[in-house]
């Protein structure tokens, strides 16, 4: 399903969405962000590479091959990283994201001092100064799952970042003039963000209404066995 | 393991970009994409036209495109009078839309090459930026990166027309700051050497607003494109005649 979506997204984009007079979303970004939120950072990164590469070679694109692939694989990695903390188990592998690696995989290793936190009780003057704290420790805080509003905001920002970063890359690589890249960008970013939030809300609602088969508690299972 | 996969994917993306930009353009990859996705775009375009019931007009369209290309070049100055002897018109349909770029359903197989003129019944559309096997990418004149040598139809003053993507308008800069210029004046192409990328005498648009900036080095005006670039369908490509 998601693979099919990734395959047809560039085609639908050039056949239908781009000829709409009211602008439209960036379908490839939506497909990549959806994959990343549902399957985690590795799948998001791979989907970004595949979808971006297809978008790069679908005519009438004639810029650098791999430009969109690079941008979208980074976006897929980022949104996959965020997926574990979004509300309502939007992500299928909620909770499995907690691995002993930081957001960039540096909780251990030569860069671990960046995220170091000293949990020792305060001994300093007036309780200030808990020892050295790494400059990126904020990224390593254990965080509770976000609320629904925060989740929608994160999805909107990540989705809008797709067209914006693609436009920035097109200008940076010299494939498009600045004015060309900027012309429809606000409209496209708004469409993508709105549809991303709507899709996330739909997925959340569908997941909530799905009947949950809870495992029996152990004592009940024991009773069942005896009976 | 998962870090390795992620790093591998990112390295693949970076190396694609690096190879395409520095070592050799990834033309095979682009041709494969053009063959696969371009074929689907052509098929969808053909199906849409068949559904609209104008499939039988195809032959007439082809002839029409050739005649139009000849007619437009007939009005060209004497220096380029021989253009149609060396060039011919190829009819094509716009099947895909991008940012200030469109796909047409004629490619290298029909003789379409890079940097040739694309026009329709009303005027100049753009130039071919890349020709695949059965499709070609066309950059529109409203693209901010486009600049077309222009000539005023009445006074013969020379200038340059550049694109303004946001408004769908063009900006005309005449080299003579004192040149006469009025709203309603027609702008045509000046023509390039060998008609590439632009053939001479193709209508570009009509002056809608003259900007009067005292002391400016050039005479500036806004031009409305003659072709409706937001609703393109049938276009003609002026390609070199094979064997010349």
């Amino acid at each position: 399903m998601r693979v099919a979506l990734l395959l047809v997204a560039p085609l639908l984009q050039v056949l239908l969405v781009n000829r709409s007079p009211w602008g439209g979303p960036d379908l490839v970004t939506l497909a990549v962000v959806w994959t990343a939120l549902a399957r985690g950072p590795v799948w998001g990164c791979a989907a970004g590479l595949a979808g971006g590469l297809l978008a790069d070679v679908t005519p009438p694109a004639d810029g650098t091959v791999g430009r969109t692939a690079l941008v979208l694989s980074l976006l897929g990695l980022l949104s996959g990283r965020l997926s574990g903390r979004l509300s309502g188990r939007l992500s299928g592998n909620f909770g499995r994201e907690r691995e002993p690696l930081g957001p960039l995989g540096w909780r251990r290793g030569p860069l671990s001092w960046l995220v170091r936190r000293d949990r020792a009780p305060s001994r300093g003057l007036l309780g200030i100064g808990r020892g050295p704290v790494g400059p990126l420790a904020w990224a390593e805080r254990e965080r509770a799952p976000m609320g629904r509003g925060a989740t929608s905001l994160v999805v909107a920002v990540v989705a809008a970042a797709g067209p914006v970063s693609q436009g920035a890359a097109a200008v940076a690589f010299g494939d498009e003039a600045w004015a060309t890249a900027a012309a429809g960008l606000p409209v496209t970013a708004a469409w993508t963000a709105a549809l991303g939030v709507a899709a996330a809300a739909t997925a959340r609602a569908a997941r909530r209404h799905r009947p949950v088969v809870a495992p029996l508690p152990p004592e009940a299972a024991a009773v069942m066995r005896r009976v | 393991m998962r870090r390795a996969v992620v790093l591998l994917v990112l390295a693949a993306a970076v190396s694609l970009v690096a190879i395409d930009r520095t070592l050799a353009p990834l033309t095979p990859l682009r041709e494969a994409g053009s063959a696969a996705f371009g074929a689907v775009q052509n098929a969808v375009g053909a199906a849409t036209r068949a559904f609209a019931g104008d499939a039988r007009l195809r032959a007439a369209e082809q002839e029409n495109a050739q005649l139009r290309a000849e007619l437009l070049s007939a009005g060209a100055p004497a220096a380029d009078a021989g253009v149609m002897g060396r060039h011919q018109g190829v009819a094509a349909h716009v099947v895909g839309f991008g940012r200030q770029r469109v796909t047409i359903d004629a490619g290298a197989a029909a003789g379409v090459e890079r940097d040739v003129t694309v026009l329709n019944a009303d005027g100049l559309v753009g130039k071919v930026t890349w020709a695949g096997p059965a499709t070609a990418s066309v950059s529109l004149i409203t693209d901010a990166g486009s600049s077309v040598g222009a000539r005023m139809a009445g006074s013969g003053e020379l200038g340059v027309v550049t694109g303004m993507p946001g408004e769908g308008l063009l900006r005309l800069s005449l080299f003579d700051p004192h040149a006469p210029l009025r709203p309603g004046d027609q702008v045509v192409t000046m023509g390039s050497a060998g008609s590439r990328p632009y053939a001479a005498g193709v209508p570009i648009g009509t002056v809608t607003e003259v900007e009067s900036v005292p002391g400016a080095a050039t005479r500036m005006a806004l031009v409305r494109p003659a072709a409706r670039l937001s609703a393109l369908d049938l276009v003609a490509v002026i390609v070199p005649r094979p064997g010349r």
Side-chain angles (χ1 to χ4, degrees), chain B residues 14 17-18 27 40 48 72 74 77 110 118 122 136 147 181 188 204 219 240:
Chain B
V14 171
V17 172
T27 316
V40 178
T48 318
L72 282 169
V118 181
D122 301 317
S147 73
L181 196 59
V188 301
I204 298 176
R219 195 105 159 91

Side-chain angles (χ1 to χ4, degrees), chain A residues 75-95:
Chain A
L75 187 75
L77 180 63
L78 174 75
S79 40
R81 279 283 174 198
L82 288 170
S83 73
R85 285 205 296 272
L86 300 184
S87 98
R89 289 170 172 72
L90 185 65
S91 135
N93 54 0
F94 180 79

Side-chain angles (χ1 to χ4, degrees), chain B residues 7-126:
Chain B
L7 287 178
L8 201 67
V9 168
L10 291 182
V14 171
S15 53
L16 274 175
V17 172
I19 292 170
D20 190 51
R21 288 194 70 87
T22 58
L23 292 179
L26 291 168
T27 316
L29 215 54
R30 194 178 284 292
E31 271 178 359
S34 169
F37 284 118
V40 178
Q41 287 179 35
N42 289 354
V44 170
T48 318
R49 285 194 301 279
F51 191 69
D54 62 357
R56 64 206 156 80
L57 294 180
R58 179 73 192 174
E61 284 176 351
Q62 185 81 39
E63 187 186 359
N64 205 1
Q66 274 171 15
L67 293 175
R68 184 175 305 122
E70 279 176 32
L71 195 65
L72 282 169
S73 307
D80 279 334
V83 160
M84 279 335 282
R86 285 173 277 120
H87 294 77
Q88 61 182 1
V90 170
H93 291 274
V94 172
V95 290
F97 294 80
R99 249 194 325 233
Q100 300 300 324
R101 277 179 173 70
V102 294
T103 317
I104 57 173
D105 63 353
V112 175
E113 298 174 8
R114 202 193 146 109
D115 285 338
V116 294
T117 312
V118 181
L119 50 95
N120 73 358
D122 301 317
L124 186 66
V125 169

Side-chain angles (χ1 to χ4, degrees), chain A residues 11-220:
Chain A
L11 269 175
L12 290 180
Q13 187 79 41
V14 299
L15 285 173
L16 289 176
V17 176
N18 284 347
R19 67 191 309 174
S20 140
W22 307 286
D26 183 6
L27 292 182
V28 184
T29 296
L30 283 178
V32 168
V33 168
W34 184 30
T35 309
L37 290 185
R39 301 294 297 271
V42 178
W43 282 98
C45 195
L49 178 76
L53 190 56
L54 291 180
D56 277 333
V57 300
T58 304
D62 60 354
T64 308
V65 175
R67 161 168 56 91
T68 315
L70 180 59
V71 170
L72 286 187
S73 56
L74 288 173
L75 187 75
L77 180 63
L78 174 75
S79 40
R81 279 283 174 198
L82 288 170
S83 73
R85 285 205 296 272
L86 300 184
S87 98
R89 289 170 172 72
L90 185 65
S91 135
N93 54 0
F94 180 79
R96 274 197 279 135
E97 292 298 310
R98 303 251 180 262
E99 51 177 13
L101 298 167
L104 299 169
W106 53 22
R107 189 175 284 176
R108 292 183 188 148
L111 289 178
S112 60
W113 59 273
L114 282 172
V115 295
R116 198 165 82 120
R117 277 168 298 137
D118 195 343
R119 287 182 178 226
S122 160
R123 281 192 296 270
L125 181 68
L126 295 174
I128 306 169
R130 288 163 173 258
V133 174
L136 291 177
W138 58 271
E140 283 295 272
R141 264 187 302 144
E142 295 289 333
R143 290 179 199 177
M146 296 177 189
R148 209 175 291 172
T151 299
S152 297
L153 190 66
V154 166
V155 172
V157 167
V158 166
V164 171
S165 51
Q166 282 178 51
V171 174
F173 282 122
D175 293 334
E176 278 180 18
W178 184 86
T180 304
L185 198 54
V187 178
T188 310
W191 269 101
T192 314
L195 281 184
V197 170
T202 314
R204 204 160 47 203
R207 210 171 274 280
R208 197 164 46 229
H209 291 305
R210 189 179 294 171
V212 178
V213 184
L216 287 171
E219 53 271 31

